[in-house]
């Protein structure tokens, strides 16, 4: 089943995000290679694809996992969590309708 991982960044966490980004992207790449990643990306803190020093307000990942527990475990092990980038992470079942 698909799950949406919806994370909210901690305030002033841009430097932590940039430092942990390679490890974060490596985990996403693994999901992609396994054919389980639907989409992933950050939420810019301002209305721009390149927010610069404004940074990001969070992230969204939609991917396939065996269970809600497995999705929560995967999300909790994200390098952004360990680095203190995320202040909050929610994991919800997701039904893709379109496209």
């Amino acid at each position: 089943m698909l799950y949406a991982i919806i994370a909210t960044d901690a305030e002033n966490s841009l430097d932590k995000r940039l430092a942990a980004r390679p490890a974060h992207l490596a985990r996403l790449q693994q999901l992609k290679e396994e054919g389980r990643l639907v989409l992933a990306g950050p939420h810019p803190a301002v209305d721009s694809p390149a927010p610069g020093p404004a940074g990001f307000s969070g992230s969204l990942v939609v991917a396939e996992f065996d269970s809600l527990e497995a999705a929560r475990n995967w999300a909790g092990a994200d390098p952004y969590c360990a680095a203190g980038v995320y202040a909050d992470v929610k994991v919800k079942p997701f039904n893709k309708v379109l496209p």
Side-chain angles (χ1 to χ4, degrees):
M1 178 162 186
L2 295 178
Y3 295 89
I5 300 168
I6 307 154
T8 303
D9 281 16
E11 287 191 37
N12 302 311
S13 61
L14 181 58
D15 288 341
K16 293 176 184 178
R17 176 183 270 272
L18 295 174
R21 188 170 191 262
H24 171 77
L25 292 178
R27 293 181 82 235
L28 291 171
Q29 183 63 36
Q30 182 179 0
L31 283 181
K32 180 182 175 188
E33 290 170 3
E34 293 170 357
R36 298 169 44 205
L37 183 64
V38 175
L39 64 88
H43 301 286
V46 294
D47 190 14
S48 171
F56 300 91
S57 63
S59 301
L60 171 65
V61 174
V62 178
E64 183 178 348
F65 293 92
D66 290 335
S67 66
L68 179 58
E69 179 181 3
R72 286 179 175 153
N73 289 339
W74 187 91
D78 193 290
Y80 282 175
C81 289
V85 175
Y86 291 155
D88 182 61
V89 178
K90 291 182 175 36
V91 181
K92 299 179 178 186
F94 181 80
N95 286 333
K96 182 179 175 187
V97 175
L98 293 171

